[in-house]
Amino acid sequence: MADGRAGILPLTLHGVGFAVAGGAPILEDVDITFEAGPRSVILGPNGAGKSVLMRICHGLLEPSRGRVEWANPERRGGPRRQAMVFQRPVVLRRSVIRNLTFALAIAGVAEHEREPRAHRALERVGLAGLAQRPAKVLSGGEQQRLALARAWLLEPDVLFLDEPTANLDPGATREIESIIQSIHAAGTKIVMITHNLGQAQRLGDEIVFVDRGRIRERSPVDLFFRTPATPEADAFLKGELPWR
């Protein structure tokens, strides 16, 4: 890392499974390692287990079996080294700038550093002119840009994105994609779920294809779309499996 800290990646899942009590398994025998660098896009039909997989990676869910290992785990009470942005952005009932300074305060950043860092983050995502506006009145695309700015503030090693443009129009989608590209260029690993196959090709370096709770295929983006290696992936790309 440029700041001298050891990176938390790679992230490795060993034999991970997940099921709700009394229900059918949602994930089964997932073995995967996410290394620093390449942008990983998770694709698969509706109900395949993509979002559950991401929430387990981020730590929002505990696996029913198996284990999740970081190379250098975050320390309790220490700065966050990973972040996640959801399909529906979560913003606080305060101004745009206070959404960011609050996140910095929680992270233990010195008070005199918070506003300058927050303003720089807003400039990076094109929201500098809206700093004093209540966050709740922003458009959907603006709220998503704010969520990305908040995630980017502490320069996480890895950013998980769960369909971040699913509810946005094409113009807002292009803006979000540009920000994601910038976050990646600044050195953050991107792990992203999308339902947009064109977006997967634009933003991904590799595809992780999930179907019925298992990872069926992992390959470079070009290879996946040109010659999928599994019947399930081929059927998915032909529109023969349901996806949203």
Side-chain angles (χ1 to χ4, degrees):
M1 300 295 293
D3 59 7
R5 68 186 185 183
I8 62 172
L9 293 169
L11 164 65
T12 302
L13 278 62
H14 301 274
V16 164
F18 183 84
V20 178
I26 297 173
L27 292 178
E28 295 186 87
D29 299 322
V30 172
D31 292 289
I32 190 168
T33 296
F34 290 106
E35 303 277 357
R39 298 162 297 176
S40 302
V41 174
I42 301 173
L43 291 180
N46 188 26
K50 303 183 298 296
S51 291
V52 169
L53 173 61
M54 181 167 284
R55 282 159 173 75
I56 287 174
C57 289
H58 185 50
L60 292 176
L61 292 174
E62 290 288 334
S64 303
R65 65 176 180 275
R67 67 187 192 278
V68 178
E69 293 182 347
W70 295 92
N72 293 288
E74 294 174 318
R75 298 189 307 274
R76 186 177 296 276
R80 295 307 310 267
R81 308 286 299 284
Q82 53 150 322
M84 184 167 175
V85 172
F86 300 88
Q87 181 181 139
R88 296 186 182 279
V90 178
V91 298
L92 304 176
R93 292 185 180 278
R94 56 192 72 196
S95 69
V96 167
I97 191 73
R98 296 302 168 216
N99 266 261
L100 301 189
T101 56
F102 178 78
L104 289 169
I106 293 297
V109 174
E111 185 172 1
H112 70 278
E113 296 182 22
R114 295 173 198 163
E115 287 222 12
R117 287 180 64 169
H119 280 292
R120 288 196 297 271
L122 292 179
E123 289 174 3
R124 288 188 297 197
V125 301
L127 293 178
L130 303 179
Q132 302 306 323
R133 185 168 297 183
K136 289 290 186 179
V137 306
L138 298 179
S139 70
E142 289 166 344
Q143 288 192 9
Q144 196 65 292
R145 280 190 274 160
L146 176 57
L148 285 167
R150 189 171 54 203
W152 198 5
L153 270 177
L154 298 177
E155 301 176 346
D157 290 7
V158 56
L159 175 59
F160 297 104
L161 302 168
D162 191 352
E163 299 194 38
T165 65
N167 300 309
L168 303 181
D169 63 35
T173 294
R174 285 194 297 273
E175 291 173 341
I176 296 301
E177 288 187 3
S178 177
I179 294 167
I180 293 169
Q181 295 277 36
S182 296
I183 294 172
H184 167 68
T188 294
K189 163 80 173 187
I190 300 295
V191 181
M192 178 178 178
I193 295 171
T194 181
H195 67 284
N196 184 323
L197 300 185
Q199 184 174 80
Q201 293 178 79
R202 289 190 296 273
L203 296 185
D205 294 306
E206 66 169 1
I207 298 296
V208 177
F209 178 69
V210 181
D211 182 40
R212 289 171 288 178
R214 296 177 182 269
I215 294 175
R216 305 289 178 176
E217 185 171 344
R218 183 181 193 180
S219 62
V221 166
D222 290 347
L223 185 61
F224 178 83
F225 283 98
R226 186 172 66 249
T227 53
T230 63
E232 293 90 352
D234 185 56
F236 174 75
L237 292 175
K238 290 177 178 176
E240 296 170 0
L241 294 179
W243 55 285
R244 63 181 178 88

